[in-house]
Amino acid sequence: KPYITELLQNRLGKRAFIVVPDERSARSVIRTLEALGTSTLYFPPKDYNFRDMEGLSRFEENQRIEVISKIRKNCYEAVIIPAEALCTLTAAPSDCKETVLTVGEDFDYGSLPQILSEYGYESFSKVEGPGQFSVRGDIVDIYPPSEEQPYRIEFFDRTVDSISLFDAASQRRTEAKDTLCLTPAKEFTRRVLDDLKVALDRLPLTAGVRKDRELVEQGILPRHDRYLPLYYSAKANILDYRTPEDLLFVFDYKSVLQGIEAFSFRMKEDIEQLTENGFTFVDGAYFYTKSEILSRFQKVSVFETLTSSLPDLKLDAFYEFNIFPTANANLKTLPQDIEQHLSLDYHVTVVTLTE
């Protein structure tokens, strides 16, 4: 399947979104495509936290932010998406904010800490990880999750004097840059605090709601995801970042649908059980359902081993592919093999990992 999609992308000169059943399948597809020279992005599913668990890693959240940032910059050839990640809510493209700083141009230096705070960055005395920033006089260090290294911006009065990468361990500059495109550090920003404050005032005053009210009053978003629908102004997922020119492939259609159904079942069961145990949830959608996702499969190319696995999918065209692996010891017979298939009216494409 990856060999065929890579061939189609090269022939058509287009990027692709590729949906696969699970993370294991995603890793396999990524290895194959990268061996073929295709640059890939992996969009991981969200690990929903409904139980007030502290100290959760933000690695996958940072990864999703990085992927969306690169898609918006057209810095990709293929985006690999496990079925569960299709169910994950994201910020709508219209809500994705960016602030650009350019060397030699004026910028309101005094507003930068407020912008960073609104974008979800946290202030530290020294920047050591993604999502952090520090201010020391006219120097501002920022580590955007969408970047591989932190940035150091020096101001002269209201002018951006210099922008450079630096090493988080040694704190030394490593490379000069002309611009920095500053993206949010979290999937939802501090602007939701006001909406959340209003919503919490309308909820029954349980112990959990009281605790969350106190956090919001201090300007802190609760760590859990029980109010997640309130964090987004519009419902969106990763497919909202696909352009009309991007190809959409689904590998193992039946398994993808089973993955979506299993995820939806687990989420509904989890929410119902926790609600019975006294946890408070809000009205609204926490994830995308199977029917919602299917409605968004527009102009999709489906790869399935058994055609009987496509009962509910209307096909505009059907193509049968036969793969005939050739061992290195039999490469001398390759021309004869090709001639034989051509004589049977096959279209033959030879795929190799090296030239």
Short mmCIF file of all heavy atoms in Angstrom, two decimals, residues 1 40 64 103 107 135 156 181 194 197 200 274 284 292 311 321 353:
data_model
loop_
_atom_site.label_atom_id
_atom_site.label_comp_id
_atom_site.label_asym_id
_atom_site.label_seq_id
_atom_site.Cartn_x
_atom_site.Cartn_y
_atom_site.Cartn_z
N LYS A 1 0.81 -1.22 0.00
CA LYS A 1 0.00 0.00 0.00
C LYS A 1 0.85 1.28 0.00
O LYS A 1 0.59 2.19 -0.78
CB LYS A 1 -0.96 0.00 1.19
CG LYS A 1 -1.92 -1.20 1.24
CD LYS A 1 -2.83 -1.14 2.44
CE LYS A 1 -3.69 -2.39 2.57
NZ LYS A 1 -2.95 -3.54 3.10
N THR A 40 7.53 12.35 6.23
CA THR A 40 6.25 12.04 6.86
C THR A 40 6.08 12.77 8.19
O THR A 40 7.06 13.13 8.84
CB THR A 40 6.11 10.53 7.12
OG1 THR A 40 7.13 10.12 8.03
CG2 THR A 40 6.24 9.73 5.82
N ARG A 64 1.33 16.88 18.31
CA ARG A 64 0.18 17.30 17.50
C ARG A 64 0.30 18.77 17.11
O ARG A 64 -0.01 19.16 15.97
CB ARG A 64 -1.13 17.04 18.26
CG ARG A 64 -1.50 15.58 18.36
CD ARG A 64 -2.92 15.40 18.90
NE ARG A 64 -3.07 15.86 20.26
CZ ARG A 64 -2.82 15.12 21.34
NH1 ARG A 64 -2.41 13.88 21.21
NH2 ARG A 64 -2.99 15.62 22.56
N VAL A 103 13.82 40.10 12.22
CA VAL A 103 14.97 40.93 12.55
C VAL A 103 14.89 42.25 11.78
O VAL A 103 14.63 42.29 10.57
CB VAL A 103 16.28 40.21 12.21
CG1 VAL A 103 17.49 41.15 12.38
CG2 VAL A 103 16.46 38.98 13.09
N PHE A 107 8.54 45.77 16.99
CA PHE A 107 7.59 44.90 17.67
C PHE A 107 7.40 45.43 19.08
O PHE A 107 8.35 45.85 19.73
CB PHE A 107 8.11 43.45 17.71
CG PHE A 107 7.10 42.46 18.20
CD1 PHE A 107 6.22 41.85 17.32
CD2 PHE A 107 6.99 42.16 19.56
CE1 PHE A 107 5.27 40.95 17.77
CE2 PHE A 107 6.05 41.27 20.02
CZ PHE A 107 5.19 40.65 19.12
N VAL A 135 12.20 35.94 30.41
CA VAL A 135 12.51 37.32 30.04
C VAL A 135 13.63 37.82 30.94
O VAL A 135 13.52 37.77 32.17
CB VAL A 135 11.27 38.22 30.19
CG1 VAL A 135 11.62 39.67 29.82
CG2 VAL A 135 10.13 37.72 29.33
N PHE A 156 16.32 45.90 20.69
CA PHE A 156 16.95 47.20 20.92
C PHE A 156 15.84 48.22 20.87
O PHE A 156 15.31 48.53 19.80
CB PHE A 156 18.02 47.51 19.87
CG PHE A 156 18.71 48.82 20.07
CD1 PHE A 156 19.68 48.95 21.06
CD2 PHE A 156 18.35 49.94 19.33
CE1 PHE A 156 20.32 50.17 21.27
CE2 PHE A 156 18.98 51.16 19.53
CZ PHE A 156 19.97 51.27 20.50
N CYS A 181 8.31 32.31 13.64
CA CYS A 181 6.87 32.21 13.59
C CYS A 181 6.41 31.56 14.88
O CYS A 181 6.60 30.35 15.09
CB CYS A 181 6.42 31.40 12.37
SG CYS A 181 4.63 31.29 12.19
N ASP A 194 -12.28 32.58 30.52
CA ASP A 194 -13.51 33.36 30.75
C ASP A 194 -14.75 32.52 30.46
O ASP A 194 -15.72 32.55 31.23
CB ASP A 194 -13.51 34.61 29.87
CG ASP A 194 -12.45 35.62 30.29
OD1 ASP A 194 -12.02 35.56 31.46
OD2 ASP A 194 -12.02 36.43 29.45
N LYS A 197 -15.17 29.95 33.20
CA LYS A 197 -15.65 30.54 34.46
C LYS A 197 -17.17 30.67 34.44
O LYS A 197 -17.85 30.34 35.42
CB LYS A 197 -15.00 31.92 34.65
CG LYS A 197 -15.27 32.56 36.00
CD LYS A 197 -14.60 33.92 36.10
CE LYS A 197 -13.10 33.82 35.96
NZ LYS A 197 -12.42 35.13 36.15
N LEU A 200 -18.75 27.10 34.68
CA LEU A 200 -18.65 26.49 36.01
C LEU A 200 -19.67 27.10 36.98
O LEU A 200 -20.17 26.42 37.88
CB LEU A 200 -17.23 26.66 36.56
CG LEU A 200 -16.14 25.81 35.89
CD1 LEU A 200 -14.77 26.16 36.45
CD2 LEU A 200 -16.42 24.33 36.09
N LEU A 274 -18.03 7.43 34.94
CA LEU A 274 -17.54 8.51 35.80
C LEU A 274 -18.67 9.44 36.22
O LEU A 274 -18.68 9.95 37.34
CB LEU A 274 -16.45 9.30 35.07
CG LEU A 274 -15.11 8.56 34.89
CD1 LEU A 274 -14.17 9.33 33.99
CD2 LEU A 274 -14.45 8.32 36.25
N GLY A 284 -21.92 18.73 25.03
CA GLY A 284 -21.05 18.95 23.88
C GLY A 284 -20.31 17.70 23.50
O GLY A 284 -20.31 16.69 24.23
N GLU A 292 -19.74 10.75 11.75
CA GLU A 292 -19.19 12.07 11.44
C GLU A 292 -17.92 11.96 10.61
O GLU A 292 -17.70 12.74 9.68
CB GLU A 292 -18.89 12.82 12.74
CG GLU A 292 -20.14 13.26 13.50
CD GLU A 292 -19.80 13.85 14.85
OE1 GLU A 292 -18.90 13.34 15.54
OE2 GLU A 292 -20.46 14.84 15.22
N PRO A 311 -18.77 -2.94 2.40
CA PRO A 311 -20.20 -3.00 2.11
C PRO A 311 -20.91 -1.65 2.14
O PRO A 311 -21.88 -1.44 1.43
CB PRO A 311 -20.75 -3.91 3.21
CG PRO A 311 -19.79 -3.72 4.35
CD PRO A 311 -18.44 -3.52 3.71
N PHE A 321 -4.91 -4.61 -7.52
CA PHE A 321 -3.45 -4.62 -7.55
C PHE A 321 -2.96 -6.01 -7.15
O PHE A 321 -3.44 -6.58 -6.16
CB PHE A 321 -2.87 -3.59 -6.56
CG PHE A 321 -3.12 -2.16 -6.97
CD1 PHE A 321 -4.24 -1.49 -6.53
CD2 PHE A 321 -2.21 -1.49 -7.78
CE1 PHE A 321 -4.48 -0.17 -6.89
CE2 PHE A 321 -2.43 -0.17 -8.14
CZ PHE A 321 -3.58 0.49 -7.70
N LEU A 353 13.77 0.03 -3.35
CA LEU A 353 14.18 0.95 -2.28
C LEU A 353 15.43 1.69 -2.65
O LEU A 353 15.80 2.68 -2.02
CB LEU A 353 14.38 0.19 -0.96
CG LEU A 353 13.09 -0.38 -0.34
CD1 LEU A 353 13.43 -1.11 0.94
CD2 LEU A 353 12.08 0.71 -0.06
#
